Amino acid sequence: MVTENPAAESVESFRLRARAWLAENMRRPVEGESGRKTAEEEDWRRARELQRRLYEGGFAGICFPREYGGLGLSPAHQRAFTEEADGYEMPLLLNIPTFAICAATILDMGGEDQKRERIGAAIRGEEVLCQFLSEPGGGSDLAGLITRADRDGDGWVVNGAKTWSTWAYAADWALCLARTDWDAPKHRGLTMFLMPTKAPGVTMRRVRMVDGSDEFCEEFFDNVVLPASAVVGEVNGGWTVASRQLVHEKTAVGGGSPYVSGRLRHGGLRWEDLPEVARVTGRVDDPAVREEIGEWVAMSHVRDQLIERVSRSIGDGVLPPAATAFMRLFSAEASQAANDAMLRIAGPAAVVGGVDEPGLGRLVGVRQLMRQESSLGGGSTEISRNIISERVLGMPREYAADRDVPFREVRRGRGADERRA
Ligand SMILES: Cc1cc2nc3c(=O)[nH]c(=O)nc-3n(C[C@H](O)[C@H](O)[C@H](O)COP(=O)(O)OP(=O)(O)OC[C@H]3O[C@@H](n4cnc5c(N)ncnc54)[C@H](O)[C@@H]3O)c2cc1C
């Protein structure tokens, strides 16, 4: 939760100070692309170094409390900094999931030591965080997961598998959700752990996607030993922590997180590049193309205002936190609409097969291959619609055969039972 300091520097003064500092200390224009979907050791080393520079300059963790290494300032300060930082090289790789999802969740749900150590280290550029939530059996039914953590003296032993973990290979710590009580109904037998990604017993593999990106990893846990202090929140209270995490995830993916610094590009492209695609392909005077651009401008304004209105309404208690699903849903729809418009404008220039030419048209084509990711990441579009109908509009809940049934008695596919045994 963002706590604002009433005695804080004004946004305008902060903006001017940031402008001067950025000009003095950060590179412009951006060379290379630190927000792209394929990032190697050098990109991560650079992201950590840039984060360290922001920290030393007094511009890191703008909305995180001072006691955990941040500045304790407001989302308006963060927005001003992001506007000023546009076009400068920024540690964008650290935005999601490190700051916007994991550090934000630890801030809301973690113990004092976890907050001081993990958030502080991330803000100083020393650590990267990731999420171990989804499993090979499916991500939408998160509470139905079967990775298990069994008590061993004071500590825990974890066995199971996770998948689709963004940037896990570059991370130091993961928020890992595991089942700790098989006799409780599915939501009530889960516990969230902070797991070192390089702990003995963790085997990690990278997953290469159709567009050549490899941000995802899958992990296998064989008797991973964790201390009692690894528990985030309460034992068997993991669903409360995960619910908060999913709210932060939807806010981040929806574009409304106060914890991101700098504007993210998707696959080397941003919505703002639409007019540039028209210019490069020589179609800027085509009335149909101008109409596409007009629609995109209108959609961008709606998106920005939706983010502002929903964030404010949640902050004022007018809407429940589940309303972050609005941002997530609209952002996915808008992202896909922008992708499609770019493809229509680029036309044959977007053909990707066998062409070894790194132009903007080709970027559009490659981006189109990953069009569906925005309707899956941060929970699927269908699940967002379910959340809006059930938890915001108060419509009847979807039927669930496993509600209030001890998880041990819930029928699952054969693969799941084999792993559980
Ligand atoms: C860009 C990106 C980043 C990601 N990062 C991470 C990460 O860092 N860590 C992590 O753990 N996971 C991550 N994921 C995984 C993501 O959380 C899952 O893809 C998502 O939750 C959906 O799960 P699934 O892919 O297993 O699809 P499934 O759950 O198998 O769903 C398949 C389809 O069925 C639909 N469906 C399922 N249940 C219902 C229902 N009850 N009602 C209506 N429709 C339904 C879904 O909408 C979907 O279209 C990421 C995914 C993407 C695309």
Side-chain angles (χ1 to χ4, degrees):
M1 223 165 303
V2 177
T3 46
E4 295 181 22
N5 171 7
E9 177 182 9
S10 77
V11 174
E12 215 29 54
S13 149
F14 183 72
R15 179 192 289 281
L16 294 176
R17 222 161 41 75
R19 188 177 297 168
W21 184 85
L22 284 161
E24 191 73 15
N25 294 281
M26 301 302 257
R27 274 199 311 177
R28 181 180 205 153
V30 174
E31 290 164 25
E33 175 54 72
S34 57
R36 66 177 187 256
K37 287 292 190 180
T38 298
E40 291 309 330
E41 216 170 289
E42 174 54 23
D43 300 290
W44 284 99
R45 193 199 55 72
R46 180 74 179 153
R48 288 176 188 238
E49 183 186 310
L50 290 170
Q51 182 62 31
R52 176 91 203 161
R53 200 180 294 179
L54 289 177
Y55 174 71
E56 285 169 353
F59 290 99
I62 292 171
C63 286
F64 286 99
R66 297 180 77 86
E67 57 268 42
Y68 308 125
L71 302 182
L73 295 173
S74 72
H77 290 84
Q78 178 60 72
R79 273 196 301 278
F81 184 79
T82 289
E83 281 163 19
E84 293 301 323
D86 203 19
Y88 285 99
E89 188 188 16
M90 292 285 290
L92 302 178
L93 284 169
L94 299 174
N95 275 340
I96 300 176
T98 294
F99 287 119
I101 304 176
C102 301
T105 304
I106 294 169
L107 178 64
D108 290 351
M109 311 303 296
E112 231 9 73
D113 287 350
Q114 292 169 342
K115 293 191 221 187
R116 235 188 357 263
E117 289 167 16
R118 299 286 77 78
I119 298 174
I123 288 176
R124 291 191 300 274
E126 291 163 10
E127 287 181 4
V128 173
L129 306 167
C130 71
Q131 317 188 77
F132 289 169
L133 299 177
S134 305
E135 299 195 351
S140 298
D141 183 22
L142 182 59
L145 61 80
I146 54 169
T147 288
R148 60 188 303 147
D150 297 298
R151 275 197 192 273
D152 182 26
D154 283 346
W156 300 88
V157 178
V158 183
N159 283 283
K162 297 284 176 180
T163 190
W164 307 129
S165 332
T166 301
W167 304 136
Y169 67 88
D172 302 280
W173 293 84
L175 282 168
C176 177
L177 192 61
R179 188 162 303 281
T180 41
D181 184 348
W182 295 76
D183 294 314
K186 65 178 184 178
H187 292 90
R188 282 182 248 148
L190 301 168
T191 301
M192 187 70 78
F193 295 91
L194 260 167
M195 178 187 278
T197 57
K198 315 281 185 308
V202 177
T203 305
M204 194 179 284
R205 288 194 206 136
R206 292 176 73 168
V207 179
R208 189 162 289 272
M209 306 297 282
V210 67
D211 67 345
S213 64
D214 52 6
E215 70 167 284
F216 293 120
C217 295
E218 56 182 356
E219 300 80 25
F220 303 91
F221 309 132
D222 293 295
N223 295 320
V224 178
V225 176
L226 295 177
S229 60
V231 172
V232 180
E234 304 287 325
V235 172
N236 294 328
W239 189 248
T240 308
V241 183
S243 300
R244 194 69 205 144
Q245 190 167 340
L246 296 179
V247 163
H248 283 301
E249 187 176 49
K250 287 197 170 31
T251 311
V253 175
S257 173
Y259 300 112
V260 300
S261 233
R263 270 183 244 190
L264 205 59
R265 281 170 181 264
H266 293 282
L269 280 176
R270 295 196 303 205
W271 293 9
E272 291 87 335
D273 294 325
L274 199 66
E276 182 65 4
V277 174
R279 202 187 55 73
V280 168
T281 51
R283 300 193 60 196
V284 91
D285 293 325
D286 181 336
V289 168
R290 294 174 86 88
E291 206 165 295
E292 296 263 23
I293 295 174
E295 271 176 33
W296 162 77
V297 170
M299 211 161 197
S300 301
H301 285 303
V302 172
R303 175 178 177 270
D304 290 350
Q305 287 177 17
L306 183 83
I307 289 170
E308 204 180 317
R309 182 166 174 193
V310 171
S311 305
R312 193 167 8 97
S313 300
I314 293 174
D316 294 346
V318 174
L319 285 173
T324 47
F326 282 119
M327 300 190 234
R328 159 67 189 73
L329 179 60
F330 192 84
S331 178
E333 301 282 303
S335 159
Q336 293 188 342
N339 263 332
D340 295 346
M342 280 197 198
L343 191 70
R344 282 191 295 272
I345 294 172
V351 172
V352 294
V355 183
D356 192 20
E357 184 263 312
L360 198 61
R362 184 172 156 75
L363 273 180
V364 173
V366 173
R367 173 77 204 133
Q368 189 68 10
L369 296 176
M370 292 298 281
R371 179 186 186 277
Q372 294 308 114
E373 75 170 350
S374 60
S375 65
L376 282 170
S380 76
T381 286
E382 289 75 16
I383 296 298
S384 289
R385 289 189 197 280
N386 283 356
I387 291 172
I388 291 167
S389 68
E390 294 177 11
R391 292 196 236 147
V392 183
L393 303 177
M395 290 165 78
R397 286 182 72 178
E398 185 183 20
Y399 170 74
D402 54 7
R403 187 164 295 142
D404 297 327
V405 178
F407 194 75
R408 193 181 291 285
E409 292 169 22
V410 173
R411 292 179 62 188
R412 287 177 295 284
R414 207 161 143 252
D417 283 341
E418 275 165 7
R419 190 172 291 109
R420 200 195 122 199

